[in-house]
Amino acid sequence: MRDPHRTEHVISLVEHSSSAPADARTEHRPPPSGSPLRRWAPWAPGAMALLVGLWGIRRQGTLWGDEAVTYAMAHRDVPQIWHTLSHIDAVHGLYYLLMRGVFTLWDGGLVALRLPSVLAVAAAAVGIVRIGHRLGATRAGLLAGAVFPLLPPVQRYAQEGRSYALVCALVTWASWLLVSNLTRPRLRGWVAYGAVILTACLLHELAVLIVMAHGVTVFRTRRERPLRRAWSIAAGGVLAGLLPLAAFSTTQSEQVDWIGPPDAGAVLGFVVTALLGVAFARVPRLSHGARLATGARLSRGPIPLSELALPLLILPPALLMLTSPLHPLYVDRYVLASAIGFALLTGSMLDRLGRSARSVGTVRRVTCAVALAALFLALVPVSIALRKPESRENDAVAIARTVRRVAEPGDGLLFTPIRRRVWTLARPDDFRALTDLALERTPVESGTLSGRELPPDRIRERMLADERIVVVRDLAGRPLETDAREVVKRATLDEFFEECTDRTVTRARITVFARPGHCRTAPPRPAPGHGPGPHRPGTAR
């Protein structure tokens, strides 16, 4: 015969278990809704990202070539921007229009140029925290959001006037929308997801690789056909929206001819990062006893965190590397958004490491703490180095300053190859006293970034009419251009001029050539100020 008291006790336990709040079944119990910690903690990584990004944002007044292009394009009016995009850089058109709006509101020089990237990284850090919360890993999300702005690649592009940080922010929030849609599928959620990821792709076409990474996540973790169909429709809309720009940009494919196959260092770096990500996803695993001791429970998010993070980390760079034999396109900044996956995996690993440390001895806990402190301290010299002028490939401001020091008024000026004329865009006033011997139409007049040059015979004629020529060119050992104009420049210099002085500034050479017997030292000039000068359309006369 059953004991009625025992039966009532069992029913009471079942009812108590079924009435437990949903948050208690997740890996990390968030604080009560009224807790100040819960309200403000998600914003802490964003605030930290903002502080890290603003630290040394001017980078000692330096500006590298791609940023000089952004600065110049942001100071052209909208018809001039459209004219330029019809010839070159259509893939960055949306970003240039955005920066045109920024500089219309506030022409704040280097700070205005880089501030949108700083804000974007802060928004991405907050988004990573929200992803962690959606996946039932609140503490892991907080740690991941704190790790993200400290990663060296993220620190670098948080302080560059280019689109890569903005793409990161959009990819982060698109990932949050994806996870939200997997939790509560709604039409407006999928529309928002498609709109955000399409905007990221319009800022940089290769963000389309993130769509593929999301597809891997959806098809690996969700068996419900309606969810797969909904994601497929959203992804199809993104591809349809991107198609016109992608088709037009193929007419400007010569822009990426400079990209070569990934070198051994790039491949090794990717392999090491991918292996670290896989390791972070798997170790340290909490034992059943450790979970009981620390109060951790199995995640009840819509998908495991690693199923979102690993495809983000591995797939975009892997696809670019694998397609290199057909057309090299791999550049680390093109896949900066993969850092989101690495940050999520690192945050998850640190969370599990902290929880497992609670169930071990004091010595091991102290060892773990010291190891983590040493790791973060190791980032300090890297962070300082990233804020120095030498951290970038070139420095358009330093190049302009050096040209001004070595040149005399009336000297000829020559750029070889032609694309090096973009180095004049940051400080055009430093070149106005010189005669650009090859230039036929300025960058603004021609709707280009480097201007239009004269035919080879006219270039030769103008060079021979000059006594001294300042040549801005690539470092020795770089592949030589085979264009007829470039061949004529080199041949005329070799045959009729001698080298007087040669200076290396980052990855540029500034060489003064003169007719035999006419080498002389230019009079000293006061060093010009730092940063981009007042903008005036055009370049050297």
Side-chain angles (χ1 to χ4, degrees):
M1 183 175 179
R2 294 182 179 177
D3 182 353
H5 297 289
R6 181 173 182 177
T7 302
E8 291 175 2
H9 179 64
V10 171
I11 292 173
S12 175
L13 286 175
V14 171
E15 290 176 347
H16 177 74
S17 175
S18 63
S19 64
D23 286 341
R25 294 194 295 272
T26 61
E27 183 180 356
H28 311 306
R29 298 182 182 180
S33 59
S35 167
L37 177 63
R38 185 175 183 183
R39 288 200 305 267
W40 296 106
W43 299 97
M48 186 182 75
L50 192 62
L51 291 175
V52 172
L54 292 175
W55 168 36
I57 189 173
R58 289 182 55 82
R59 206 164 59 242
Q60 301 179 31
T62 59
L63 192 76
W64 82 288
D66 282 8
E67 288 185 301
V69 171
T70 300
Y71 185 83
M73 290 292 288
H75 284 85
R76 297 183 186 183
D77 59 36
V78 174
Q80 289 173 336
I81 292 175
W82 280 116
H83 184 209
T84 302
L85 298 180
S86 67
H87 296 105
I88 193 170
D89 256 6
V91 293
H92 298 298
L94 179 59
Y95 177 68
Y96 292 149
L97 291 170
L98 171 65
M99 294 306 296
R100 166 66 181 169
V102 170
F103 276 91
T104 299
L105 294 173
W106 176 48
D107 195 343
L110 290 176
V111 177
L113 180 69
R114 294 168 182 158
L115 187 58
S117 295
V118 174
L119 296 175
V121 168
V126 174
I128 288 172
V129 175
R130 302 305 301 166
I131 290 173
H133 183 75
R134 279 287 186 188
L135 293 176
T138 302
R139 186 175 302 177
L142 281 168
L143 290 168
V147 165
F148 178 73
L150 298 179
L151 297 175
V154 176
Q155 288 196 58
R156 175 187 178 115
Y157 294 108
Q159 293 190 335
E160 286 203 0
R162 300 297 283 174
S163 64
Y164 311 112
L166 277 70
V167 172
C168 257
L170 291 168
V171 167
T172 301
W173 285 98
S175 301
W176 177 81
L177 286 166
L178 175 68
V179 174
S180 299
N181 287 327
L182 295 179
T183 307
R184 295 182 59 189
R186 289 181 295 183
L187 176 61
R188 65 181 182 182
W190 287 113
V191 170
Y193 167 78
V196 172
I197 200 69
L198 175 59
T199 305
C201 293
L202 293 176
L203 279 173
H204 199 281
E205 287 181 7
L206 291 179
V208 73
L209 299 173
I210 299 299
V211 180
M212 301 181 187
H214 284 170
V216 170
T217 297
V218 171
F219 280 83
R220 274 182 56 86
T221 60
R222 306 302 292 191
R223 296 185 179 180
E224 297 89 339
R225 186 170 296 177
L227 279 175
R228 292 185 176 186
R229 186 186 304 118
W231 176 85
S232 299
I233 292 171
V238 171
L239 296 178
L242 181 62
L243 184 60
L245 175 62
F248 182 74
S249 65
T250 60
T251 64
Q252 301 176 355
S253 59
E254 69 277 359
Q255 279 187 255
V256 292
D257 286 346
W258 62 271
I259 302 177
D263 57 23
V267 174
L268 180 62
F270 164 68
V271 170
V272 170
T273 303
L275 290 177
L276 280 174
V278 172
F280 290 170
R282 299 186 179 278
V283 293
R285 289 289 189 187
L286 288 180
S287 66
H288 179 68
R291 281 198 294 270
L292 291 176
T294 61
R297 296 170 183 251
L298 292 175
S299 172
R300 294 294 298 273
I303 57 174
L305 183 146
S306 61
E307 294 292 348
L308 173 69
L310 280 174
L312 283 176
L313 172 64
I314 295 174
L315 195 62
L319 287 175
L320 281 190
M321 287 187 174
L322 290 174
T323 57
S324 289
L326 301 176
H327 196 305
L329 283 175
Y330 178 81
V331 181
D332 59 353
R333 57 183 178 268
Y334 293 173
V335 288
L336 180 64
S338 64
I340 299 165
F342 187 79
L344 284 169
L345 293 165
T346 304
S348 178
M349 182 272 295
L350 290 174
D351 178 38
R352 292 196 308 273
L353 189 65
R355 290 181 177 276
S356 65
R358 297 181 190 175
S359 60
V360 299
T362 304
V363 174
R364 289 188 62 183
R365 288 201 297 269
V366 172
T367 302
C368 290
V370 170
L372 288 175
L375 180 62
F376 282 105
L377 286 175
L379 289 173
V380 173
V382 176
S383 302
I384 294 173
L386 286 171
R387 286 156 178 80
K388 293 182 178 179
E390 299 79 14
S391 63
R392 300 313 192 264
E393 294 180 9
N394 52 64
D395 179 2
V397 173
I399 292 168
R401 186 164 55 242
T402 302
V403 168
R404 186 175 178 181
R405 285 175 178 169
V406 303
E408 296 181 0
D411 281 354
L413 179 64
L414 208 61
F415 297 92
T416 178
I418 180 177
R419 61 179 177 272
R420 297 307 171 217
R421 192 174 280 107
V422 300
W423 290 336
T424 69
L425 299 177
R427 298 171 62 93
D429 287 347
D430 285 346
F431 298 86
R432 294 195 188 281
L434 309 179
T435 303
D436 195 330
L437 300 175
L439 188 65
E440 181 178 29
R441 300 181 67 197
T442 68
V444 173
E445 292 169 348
S446 61
T448 64
L449 301 177
S450 303
R452 299 287 184 195
E453 293 196 335
L454 295 163
D457 56 339
R458 288 282 292 127
I459 294 174
R460 176 185 171 89
E461 178 184 332
R462 296 190 71 184
M463 289 176 67
L464 292 176
D466 241 304
E467 188 178 278
R468 277 170 46 100
I469 300 176
V470 179
V471 180
V472 181
R473 52 183 175 165
D474 288 331
L475 295 179
R478 296 290 299 272
L480 298 176
E481 300 280 341
T482 58
D483 178 79
R485 293 175 177 83
E486 305 303 331
V487 172
V488 162
K489 293 174 190 176
R490 294 194 300 268
T492 305
L493 289 172
D494 291 342
E495 185 176 356
F496 297 100
F497 292 83
E498 63 182 11
E499 185 176 309
C500 300
T501 62
D502 183 67
R503 299 191 184 187
T504 298
V505 182
T506 60
R507 294 193 180 182
R509 290 176 68 194
I510 294 93
T511 309
V512 177
F513 286 87
R515 290 300 187 95
H518 289 81
C519 281
R520 59 183 180 274
T521 303
R525 298 176 179 273
H530 294 293
H535 178 79
R536 298 177 189 172
T539 182
R541 63 181 174 86

